[in-house]
Amino acid sequence: ALSYISRKDGGALAAKQFENSDNMTLQASALASLLHIGSGESELQAFYEQWKGERLVIDSWFALQISTASPETILPIALKLTKHSDFSIKNPNRFRAVIATFTQSFGGFHQSSGQGYQFVADWLIKSDALNPNLTARLSSAFQEGPFDHEGKMHLISALKRLNENASANTSEMVTRLLSKLEKLEL
């Protein structure tokens, strides 16, 4: 309900809830409502400062920013978050909070430009040497789509790059996806 109200009142009630909350759950819901309307930068920073010692809360803080982003803003936000001092490719939960959450954004991941596919492939290539099981699981995100011929070409390109030096686990998954895509007529 707060999210809907925020669209009507410009986030006034959500900002008030954030300021007056005495727990993380209420703060997070208020913050999500603000982020959904393109607001809440000061609350975002305040939340981080208050909870930066709680790693699971910060995982949620990362994921919240991705999950509330619009298709137009998700890639710049994701790029910014991967440069954040608390982001680490070596932390599977943090990695999933950004990369896996990004793949769950239909409009962000399946951008007609192919940039969403390339972004995820870039990070999976980096993570494969460190955590091939995680990378193989996350590469399954590429099985959603493509939705047109151009998207198919972008998807195939990203998967081929990912498969160039992939671990056995990742290569098995990616090879299966590529085989399916090559048979798919759009």
Side-chain angles (χ1 to χ4, degrees):
L2 185 59
S3 182
Y4 292 120
I5 293 169
S6 294
R7 292 179 184 163
K8 288 287 194 185
D9 75 355
L13 184 60
K16 185 176 180 179
Q17 176 177 307
F18 183 89
E19 184 179 324
N20 296 327
S21 294
D22 62 356
N23 66 70
M24 186 275 304
T25 303
L26 289 175
Q27 281 183 331
S29 68
L31 180 57
S33 295
L34 291 167
L35 293 174
H36 270 295
I37 62 167
S39 185
E41 284 301 314
S42 63
E43 289 85 358
L44 189 63
Q45 188 59 36
F47 188 92
Y48 173 78
E49 290 300 326
Q50 181 176 352
W51 299 103
K52 65 184 173 186
E54 300 291 331
R55 68 183 198 288
L56 295 177
V57 176
I58 297 303
D59 290 341
S60 296
W61 179 81
F62 274 91
L64 181 64
Q65 292 176 73
I66 298 288
S67 66
T68 58
S70 70
E72 298 78 30
T73 63
I74 191 168
L75 189 55
I77 288 171
L79 290 167
K80 178 181 169 188
L81 290 174
T82 61
K83 292 178 176 108
H84 192 280
S85 62
D86 279 345
F87 178 81
S88 173
I89 194 170
K90 294 178 181 177
N91 179 330
N93 289 338
R94 194 67 43 89
F95 187 75
R96 275 192 296 271
V98 176
I99 306 305
T101 304
F102 183 92
T103 67
Q104 295 166 5
S105 167
F106 185 86
F109 185 48
H110 300 288
Q111 294 178 23
S112 62
S113 66
Q115 289 181 321
Y117 299 145
Q118 296 304 322
F119 169 75
V120 173
D122 289 345
W123 280 99
L124 293 183
I125 289 165
K126 293 174 189 176
S127 75
D128 198 37
L130 300 170
N131 195 336
N133 291 331
L134 174 65
T135 303
R137 277 194 305 275
L138 290 181
S139 66
S140 69
F142 288 103
Q143 65 191 351
E144 292 291 325
F147 304 100
D148 58 23
H149 182 72
E150 183 180 6
K152 177 181 172 181
M153 294 298 102
H154 290 307
L155 190 51
I156 288 172
S157 171
L159 286 170
K160 283 184 175 180
R161 272 190 332 102
L162 176 55
N163 208 27
E164 284 175 3
N165 297 303
S167 65
N169 291 350
T170 300
S171 183
E172 179 183 346
M173 176 65 82
V174 171
T175 301
R176 193 173 329 130
L177 292 169
L178 282 167
S179 176
K180 179 182 166 189
L181 278 170
E182 289 166 357
K183 295 174 188 174
L184 184 65
E185 291 186 36
L186 294 174

